[in-house]
């Protein structure tokens, strides 16, 4: 079993920054790919950023490239999402997810999901 818990969400002004964290339990965290997804009210959940099992490869949606950075600390079983230059359209619940595959498609088919943390960006 794998349990994920996000933290770090909150209210921030446009142009500001937030850093989200995802703490994981389980023995196999270091072999899992990890990702961040988000879901705005009335919209489907969408991919934000992904990172390979060893942190060597990262992926970003076009909407966040150059502004968000995903990273991981396997020793601490933690994944991070540094969000800079935030925009009102970034407002959403952000979810951490894990996949047993080393290079998954980062779709909605991830194996494990956290409960989410809310990020609200004001104008």
């Amino acid at each position: 079993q794998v349990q994920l818990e996000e933290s770090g969400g909150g209210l921030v002004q446009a142009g500001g920054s937030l850093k989200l964290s995802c703490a994981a339990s389980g023995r196999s965290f270091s072999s899992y790919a990890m990702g961040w997804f988000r879901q705005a009210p009335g919209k489907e959940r969408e991919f934000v950023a992904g990172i390979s099992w060893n942190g060597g490869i990262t992926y970003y949606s076009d909407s966040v490239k150059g502004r968000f950075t995903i990273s991981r600390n396997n020793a601490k079983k933690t994944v991070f999402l540094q969000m800079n230059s935030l925009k009102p359209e970034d407002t959403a619940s952000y979810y951490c997810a894990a996949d047993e595959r080393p290079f998954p498609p980062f779709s909605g088919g991830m194996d494990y999901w956290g409960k989410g943390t809310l990020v609200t960006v004001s104008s």
Side-chain angles (χ1 to χ4, degrees):
Q1 62 178 9
V2 176
Q3 185 173 352
L4 306 173
E5 184 173 2
E6 305 93 338
S7 62
L11 176 64
V12 63
Q13 294 184 185
S17 299
L18 282 175
K19 187 174 184 178
L20 306 183
S21 298
C22 173
S25 65
R27 299 176 299 172
S28 301
F29 174 83
S30 295
S31 66
Y32 291 177
M34 302 293 296
W36 287 95
F37 297 74
R38 67 187 182 187
Q39 186 171 21
K43 300 183 65 177
E44 295 294 320
R45 184 163 55 193
E46 65 176 349
F47 168 76
V48 175
I51 188 166
S52 61
W53 66 276
N54 63 353
I57 302 174
T58 57
Y59 311 85
Y60 300 94
S61 67
D62 289 340
S63 62
V64 307
K65 285 182 179 178
R67 300 188 298 119
F68 291 9
T69 302
I70 187 172
S71 61
R72 66 191 296 164
N73 186 324
N74 286 351
K76 297 183 178 181
K77 297 183 178 181
T78 306
V79 180
F80 305 95
L81 184 67
Q82 178 66 51
M83 305 185 294
N84 299 324
S85 301
L86 284 163
K87 304 175 181 179
E89 48 263 47
D90 295 319
T91 295
S93 291
Y94 284 72
Y95 298 87
C96 176
D99 199 296
E100 295 179 1
R101 295 169 291 179
F103 303 101
F106 295 107
S107 67
M110 302 285 281
D111 295 320
Y112 308 99
W113 294 87
K115 296 180 180 179
T117 185
L118 180 63
V119 173
T120 303
V121 184
S122 62
S123 300

